[in-house]
Amino acid sequence: MELLRLGAIGQERPYVRDDEGVVRDLSSLTRDIDGAFLAGDGIAHVRAALADGSLPEAETAGLRVGAPVARPTAVICIGQNYAAHAAESGSEPPAHPVVFFKHPNTVVGPDDVVLLPPGAEKVDWEVELAVVIGRTARYLPSAEAARDVIAGYTISNDVSERAYQLEVSGGQWSKGKCSETFNPLGPALVPADEVDPQALRLRSFVNGEPRQDSSTADMIFPVLQLVHELSHYLVLEPGDVINTGTPQGVALSGRFPYLQDGDEMTIEIERLGRQHQRTERVRLG
């Protein structure tokens, strides 16, 4: 099944797409798909309601697709988690996970417009597997224990402005990661037990031309290890999002031009769906 949030910005409502592809209304179970819903065994309640046939079919034609998790309290990102991407960035593969943060208000729907900041000339795309936390995680005893705190998986586009990230960074990356709309998320949240996070093909395209094409099997630090290690540096809360890194094929490599006004990105991960965004330059005055 797939959990969805559909509707205008700020007016999204919760839905589920069942295994037959029918979209059903979740309003009888929850007001939204958020950390409280996930922490309260929301996914199990949805499955039970699907099994007993109590969820009505929904009419969703024309509804905007929102991010599948409402108001994440944190967006935690892992840098250079694919060896080939580290190489194209001019770095050695890291010995420990590289961690940085995006402001949670960067999260938008999977097909929403991505805004290019005024004067920004090095805006880049990054297809990434996103982990959504379902239970509080602190000092997990093992990587295997991380399995119990993951609610599900979705797709993230970790949009980045490379000059902000690297040239005026002050030694950290968040300046290049936190512009408005810089984290399209979705379209759906797929429960963790329905996905093998280390066996997914992930691809990106710009204006229909291929850019990235890799597999999550090539991660330097696999998902369960990442969640385990992160839990020893910070407390992970239900609804938190972890972007797990991007493979080679970004503009930073020098092989492709950076994004321009009106470009179109397509971001997809096997089993999790597809995003599509158009870029638009912010013009002041």
Side-chain angles (χ1 to χ4, degrees):
M1 71 178 185
E2 299 176 341
L3 298 175
L4 305 162
R5 296 176 65 250
L6 308 178
I9 295 173
Q11 301 177 34
E12 297 91 344
R13 295 178 57 192
Y15 298 86
V16 61
R17 181 180 289 114
D18 65 24
D19 292 339
E20 284 70 48
V22 178
V23 177
R24 300 185 180 278
D25 195 330
L26 288 181
S27 297
S28 61
L29 292 183
T30 183
R31 294 180 60 183
D32 213 337
I33 299 170
D34 55 14
F37 166 80
L38 296 173
D41 288 326
I43 290 175
H45 293 318
V46 173
R47 283 179 168 151
L50 287 174
D52 66 25
S54 61
L55 296 177
E57 187 171 346
E59 176 54 58
T60 60
L63 289 181
R64 166 187 168 271
V65 181
V69 181
R71 301 175 298 279
T73 50
V75 180
I76 305 152
C77 305
I78 307 300
Q80 299 182 348
N81 198 25
Y82 292 75
H85 174 58
E88 74 177 358
S89 304
S91 303
E92 292 294 323
H96 303 281
V98 175
V99 179
F100 61 94
F101 295 87
K102 301 190 83 151
H103 197 299
N105 68 12
T106 59
V107 173
V108 294
D111 303 320
D112 289 347
V113 169
V114 167
L115 298 174
L116 306 181
E121 299 297 337
K122 294 184 177 181
V123 180
D124 211 343
W125 57 89
E126 296 189 36
V127 57
E128 304 199 12
L129 175 66
V131 178
V132 179
I133 298 298
R135 298 183 186 278
T136 300
R138 56 191 297 273
Y139 308 116
L140 293 173
S142 66
E144 186 59 30
R147 197 180 302 276
D148 294 333
V149 305
I150 298 173
Y153 300 97
T154 189
I155 305 172
S156 179
N157 185 359
D158 176 18
V159 181
S160 307
E161 211 294 342
R162 302 302 192 184
Y164 299 172
Q165 176 187 349
L166 301 173
E167 298 171 22
V168 294
S169 68
Q172 50 76 39
W173 291 357
S174 291
K175 286 181 183 177
K177 301 287 187 171
C178 289
S179 296
E180 58 184 332
T181 75
F182 266 28
N183 205 128
L185 194 71
L189 176 64
V190 180
D193 59 4
E194 299 182 18
V195 177
D196 180 350
Q198 305 309 149
L200 301 172
R201 186 183 186 188
L202 62 174
R203 299 193 293 173
S204 65
F205 304 81
V206 176
N207 299 327
E209 299 178 355
R211 293 293 186 259
Q212 296 169 280
D213 188 350
S214 187
S215 168
T216 56
D218 293 328
M219 285 184 182
I220 298 171
F221 306 105
V223 166
L224 296 184
Q225 180 182 349
L226 288 173
V227 174
H228 169 236
E229 292 201 24
L230 284 171
S231 79
H232 286 258
Y233 298 110
L234 67 157
V235 177
L236 299 170
E237 299 283 0
D240 286 354
V241 174
I242 303 172
N243 291 341
T244 59
T246 199
Q248 66 175 330
V250 296
L252 181 62
S253 68
R255 294 187 289 131
F256 307 109
Y258 287 105
L259 294 167
Q260 301 296 318
D261 190 7
D263 281 347
E264 297 187 358
M265 292 176 281
T266 300
I267 305 291
E268 63 182 32
I269 299 181
E270 178 186 5
R271 181 69 185 83
L272 302 180
R274 177 182 293 115
Q275 306 181 350
H276 185 85
Q277 303 104 29
R278 177 179 55 81
T279 63
E280 183 178 303
R281 177 75 65 185
V282 174
R283 292 176 172 83
L284 304 178

